Amino acid sequence: MIEENLHRILKELPSEVKLVAVSKFHPFSAILSAYQAGQRRFGENRPQEFQLKALQLPQDIEWHFIGHLQTNKLKMVLPYASLVESIDSVHLLDLVELWGKANGRTVDILLELHLGAETTKGGLTEEEIEDILRKASGREGIPEYPHIRFRGLMGMATNTDDESVIEADFERISKLKCRLEEMFPELPDFKELSIGMSHDWRLAVRYGATIVRIGSAIFGERG
Ligand SMILES: *Cc1c(COP(=O)(O)O)cnc(C)c1O
């Protein structure tokens, strides 16, 4: 079942788009089924579960952290994450930089753009993102965030069945990513666009997704 779902998606997904299999709430056995089918990139959104799985499952898995990261849980996530996709505040970014400095590590991250109207949802504004990248680029003196590698943007479209609303979200984040890429050639790693989940990944690909994060369409509904 998991293997068939994976293969069906991979057959349709352009080969240059990276698939993150979102395994949150699913047991080790489900992850191992996907692993045996060749999948090596997985995503989790809760620090404790992320750490447990990263420590106990095969070491060649590339783990993406995709959830809200509370500032007191950095230690559970940063040592094991290939990519932290969900940097959703300047405060969190500053703490990740401090962690990188203290541990002699460069942390790969995506900046999460706040999309849609939901006021409760986290994420950075376009202005905050531009400001961060300007500081990182070194245009204003010594580059800030030397222990962070800015790899691109992440976004979650508005939770709705109305495809035109989702499209508007994808268009906005896609345009922003292109604009920032042109604006900051000093940041050559800034090229990923992580958008698209089980119900909207095909649309996301049309809007330039380089990473899609798919859970229930692979593993089934979460219990
Ligand atoms: C759960 C989750 C996904 C995957 O959602 P599905 O609808 O199950 O594909 C993608 N991105 C984030 C940030 C998530 O929390």
Side-chain angles (χ1 to χ4, degrees):
M1 186 65 174
I2 289 172
E3 185 171 355
E4 286 159 28
N5 291 341
L6 252 178
H7 285 154
R8 194 164 17 81
I9 292 166
L10 286 171
K11 231 170 86 186
E12 216 186 314
L13 192 70
S15 58
E16 68 275 12
V17 180
K18 297 186 259 299
L19 172 63
V20 177
V22 177
S23 49
K24 62 189 187 194
F25 301 97
H26 291 287
F28 287 17
S29 59
I31 297 175
L32 288 171
S33 296
Y35 182 86
Q36 270 144 24
Q39 179 66 21
R40 289 294 180 274
R41 199 180 291 108
F42 292 87
E44 290 284 337
N45 71 340
R46 295 187 303 181
Q48 211 139 1
E49 187 177 346
F50 178 89
Q51 182 182 40
L52 191 70
K53 286 174 171 171
L55 284 171
Q56 305 217 1
L57 285 161
Q59 290 305 300
D60 61 341
I61 289 180
E62 178 185 312
W63 291 102
H64 288 211
F65 190 78
I66 61 170
H68 174 63
L69 181 52
Q70 300 97 313
T71 51
N72 60 342
K73 302 216 165 126
L74 263 53
K75 289 195 300 292
M76 301 176 92
V77 169
L78 298 185
Y80 317 103
S82 305
L83 186 62
V84 180
E85 297 205 15
S86 43
I87 297 293
D88 56 6
S89 75
V90 175
H91 181 56
L92 175 60
L93 183 70
D94 289 344
L95 291 177
V96 172
E97 166 60 27
L98 285 178
W99 185 91
K101 184 173 181 188
N103 292 277
R105 291 269 301 267
T106 302
V107 184
D108 286 80
I109 64 111
L110 303 181
L111 296 170
E112 181 176 351
L113 175 67
H114 176 91
L115 282 173
E118 291 121 290
T119 49
T120 51
K121 240 177 26 176
L124 296 153
T125 66
E126 296 195 16
E127 292 71 28
E128 284 174 320
I129 289 175
E130 190 176 324
D131 190 52
I132 289 166
L133 295 179
R134 190 178 303 282
K135 287 175 173 153
S137 74
R139 291 212 192 150
E140 297 179 338
I142 299 165
E144 294 183 31
Y145 305 117
H147 299 89
I148 291 182
R149 191 175 293 119
F150 294 89
R151 298 274 306 276
L153 295 183
M154 184 272 235
M156 280 217 276
T158 308
N159 189 5
T160 172
D161 293 332
D162 185 343
E163 197 156 289
S164 68
V165 173
I166 299 174
E167 268 189 81
D169 284 342
F170 285 166
E171 183 170 10
R172 180 153 85 83
I173 191 170
S174 178
K175 279 191 169 153
L176 177 66
K177 184 248 182 178
C178 292
R179 185 166 69 79
L180 295 171
E181 216 174 0
E182 273 179 29
M183 194 184 285
F184 298 110
E186 302 94 332
L187 303 170
D189 300 306
F190 190 88
K191 46 185 177 232
E192 306 289 356
L193 179 60
S194 177
I195 50 173
M197 306 175 21
S198 288
H199 64 289
D200 58 13
W201 67 266
R202 291 176 184 84
L203 194 59
V205 167
R206 275 188 258 141
Y207 280 89
T210 66
I211 298 174
V212 292
R213 311 175 307 269
I214 301 181
S216 45
I218 297 171
F219 296 106
E221 292 303 324
R222 291 176 282 275

